[in-house]
Amino acid sequence: MLEALIFDVDGTVAETEGLHRRAFNLAFERHGVGLRWDEREYRRLLRVHGGKERIARSLAEHEEPRPPPEVAAIHATKTRIYEELLEAEGAPWRPGVHRLMAEAPRAGLRLAIATTTSEANLEPLFAPVLGAGWRRRFEAIVTGDQVARKKPAPDVYLEALRRLHLAPLEAVAFEDSRAGVEAARAAGIPVVAMPSRWLAGDDLSGADIVLEHLGDAGALWAESHPAVNNRWLSARQLAAWHARRFDAAPDRSTHARRTRCPPPA
Ligand code: XBP
Ligand code: MG
């Protein structure tokens, strides 16, 4: 039975990568680094997961390798600048995300976050929309800096399941990128994918459902989706789809995905 919704952040909650790109470039200027990522170059570098890893890769490609502490310092500056940009300009949430997060508790569904982004990037994105107490809504908030391996490795999703004390098939993940879909699938979690602008060319066919976005009464899909027989995705419809798809008599092939992680220590 569906128990929890696990949200990716960048590209899924909001189209934030444009602000990330600007923050990286301003940090390069501030540190005297000879890099400037235009949109085309940033789209290419989004295949490298994690800001620090992205900086290191680009420096190595331009024969300007820097020691890890210096890369970390550049990334810390970028994170501060990103927070300032987000606070100053905001990032509109994608259709249906706020609504689904509000519907979830009424439908008996718990909420979690599983993202590659840095923990500091969450407050300026969530607080303006969900209020100062936004963290209380999420039973697990797992970020890239808390796990050993970033997406497409399953680490953030496995850690979210562990903190929720749930089996993979008791959750649904929401993702915008191929790496995110692969990470959730590798954790055994069903995935709803909504392609984002910066990763529009990604193959999301590994997802269980691919939607334009989650939809809203004011942002209807062009057509009703066969999986939910509606023009937006409600918590109730998602739970009904999940029950039809996964609550049938369990067989050996899904045993591992129905086994709960040990409870948090
Ligand atoms: C997206 C990412 C992050 C951001 C930049 O994370 O890959 O690296 O691009 O943030 P997700 P940082 O889609 O999993 O939310 O610089 O903090 O890494
Ligand atoms: Mg994402």
Side-chain angles (χ1 to χ4, degrees), residues 168-169 171-174 184-185 188-192 208 241-242 246 257:
L169 280 184
V172 164
F174 296 87
R185 295 284 300 178
I189 301 170
V191 197
V192 175
D208 295 85
W241 164 80
H242 184 278
F246 299 107
R257 295 175 75 187

Side-chain angles (χ1 to χ4, degrees), residues 184-252:
R185 295 284 300 178
I189 301 170
V191 197
V192 175
M194 305 104 72
S196 61
R197 184 168 79 82
W198 284 85
L199 292 156
D202 268 18
D203 171 7
L204 303 181
S205 58
D208 295 85
I209 301 182
V210 181
L211 302 172
E212 178 189 351
H213 45 66
L214 295 179
D216 258 336
L220 295 172
W221 301 325
E223 311 180 345
S224 177
H225 193 288
V228 293
N229 193 26
N230 194 16
R231 293 176 64 191
W232 76 77
L233 182 66
S234 73
R236 186 179 51 76
Q237 289 157 342
L238 179 63
W241 164 80
H242 184 278
R244 289 193 303 274
R245 181 78 184 274
F246 299 107
D247 288 1
D251 59 34
R252 288 176 53 79

Side-chain angles (χ1 to χ4, degrees), residues 8-12 151 175-177 199:
D8 164 55
V9 173
D10 292 313
T12 296
K151 299 174 188 175
E175 271 288 354
D176 72 297
S177 68
L199 292 156

Side-chain angles (χ1 to χ4, degrees), residues 8-10 17 20 24 42 46 50-51 54 75 78 115-118 121 151 176:
D8 164 55
V9 173
D10 292 313
E17 293 297 355
H20 279 298
F24 280 112
Y42 191 61
L46 274 173
R54 209 166 288 152
H75 187 252
K78 174 266 173 182
T115 174
T116 297
T117 207
S118 304
N121 296 342
K151 299 174 188 175
D176 72 297

Side-chain angles (χ1 to χ4, degrees), residues 21-42 44-45 58-59 61-62 64 66 74:
R21 183 183 73 89
R22 287 165 54 198
F24 280 112
N25 285 335
L26 289 167
F28 296 149
E29 274 179 40
R30 214 166 283 180
H31 284 260
V33 173
L35 295 177
R36 291 298 174 274
W37 294 343
D38 63 16
E39 290 205 2
R40 178 187 166 86
E41 175 65 351
Y42 191 61
R44 182 183 73 84
L45 286 167
S58 190
L59 286 169
E61 288 174 346
H62 293 77
E64 278 197 57
R66 305 279 179 109
I74 297 166

